[in-house]
Amino acid sequence: MICIKAKQHNMKKNLIVSGLLLLYTSTFIFLFTKLRKMSGVVIEELVEQNIYYILGFMFIAGISSTLYLILDANNTKYKLANEEKSEEISYQEEASVGKVEEEDNLDVLKSEIKFIYDLDIPKNEKSEKAIWKICKHFEISQALYYVKEEEREQLTLQSSFAFILSESDPRYILVGEGITGQAVLDKKPYYVKNVPEGYLKVISGLGESLPKSLLIIPCVDQEEVRGVFEFSSLKEYSKNTFDDIVMICNYVSTLSIN
């Protein structure tokens, strides 16, 4: 941002210098032409009064000042180029540091989830605690976790986060049914930004709101879906963050199988 403003200032300065040089040269040529048309007597008087010398001195001073401004402008341009390069290097370093920090945070999250699955508690409690960790880390509003039943084409709800189930809400989903069932059938994660009206609503301290993001993440092991996560959030996610969420979900699914 600083470099952009400095560049704009430098461009204005160059325009002013160019305008002054053009004006100064035009004025000098005009005066010199007028002097050439004067009579010899007048010119001799001007010479005796040192007018010619004064004009010559003014011309040299003007050219020198203009050259100085041009050199200064070029020097400023060189400095700006170096500052811009320095800012780019600094930005790359910050991005690299941010990436390392995020990787460290993900390692911490995985360690916390591993600790949960090492506890001697029921599976649904383990998955519930793991989902809470995931939602807290990625600022996800609501979550559902379904697991595949053996030899049945359906997934049963095992745990949830910040989701109030009514009597009419299904406790299982069929493969190929709805968005979640289709993701299970395709065996690939879905990231839906335009959530269908009436699909679900996120309940928060601000009331009920339509989520901005719906993340459906089936966990595949040996070409078979073992479970599926359904997340809804009031924020949108970058591709890198979405990939991180998918990775963590697969990690949870692997722990739940073992």
Side-chain angles (χ1 to χ4, degrees), residues 92-253:
Q92 290 175 351
E93 290 176 348
E94 289 178 2
S96 177
V97 170
K99 186 176 180 181
V100 171
E101 289 179 351
E102 180 59 29
E103 289 176 352
D104 290 342
N105 290 335
L106 289 176
D107 288 338
V108 171
L109 178 60
K110 289 173 69 175
S111 298
E112 292 175 345
I113 292 173
K114 177 66 168 60
F115 176 78
I116 291 171
Y117 274 87
D118 287 339
L119 296 174
D120 187 18
I121 57 177
K123 282 188 175 181
N124 65 317
E125 290 186 26
K126 292 179 179 180
S127 59
E128 189 171 302
K129 290 179 181 294
I131 288 175
W132 181 83
K133 289 285 186 182
I134 295 173
C135 291
K136 182 180 178 182
H137 183 87
F138 294 104
E139 299 180 18
I140 296 172
S141 305
Q142 291 178 341
L144 296 171
Y145 178 50
Y146 297 87
V147 293
K148 182 75 162 56
E149 294 188 8
E150 294 292 336
E151 300 179 357
R152 297 186 67 179
E153 289 300 307
Q154 70 179 37
L155 293 95
T156 303
L157 180 65
Q158 186 179 88
S159 55
S160 63
F161 169 76
F163 197 95
I164 302 174
L165 290 169
S166 65
E167 293 296 328
S168 59
D169 288 325
R171 297 310 195 267
Y172 63 88
I173 56 174
L174 299 176
V175 176
E177 184 179 49
I179 300 176
T180 304
Q182 187 62 45
V184 172
L185 183 64
D186 295 338
K187 299 179 181 179
K188 65 179 184 180
Y190 279 17
Y191 179 20
V192 183
K193 289 186 179 181
N194 298 318
V195 181
E197 186 74 33
Y199 181 80
L200 54 80
K201 288 186 177 181
V202 173
I203 301 175
S204 66
L206 301 176
E208 293 186 357
S209 304
L210 192 68
K212 290 185 177 180
S213 302
L214 181 63
L215 295 79
I216 311 296
I217 304 173
C219 302
V220 184
D221 179 60
Q222 297 181 355
E223 299 300 319
E224 184 178 351
V225 176
R226 301 294 183 180
V228 59
F229 290 85
E230 181 177 328
F231 298 112
S232 54
S233 178
L234 294 175
K235 63 179 292 185
E236 294 184 357
Y237 300 93
S238 65
K239 183 181 182 303
N240 290 336
T241 303
F242 179 60
D243 291 341
D244 290 340
I245 296 173
V246 172
M247 183 269 293
I248 292 295
C249 288
N250 280 297
Y251 180 70
V252 171
S253 179

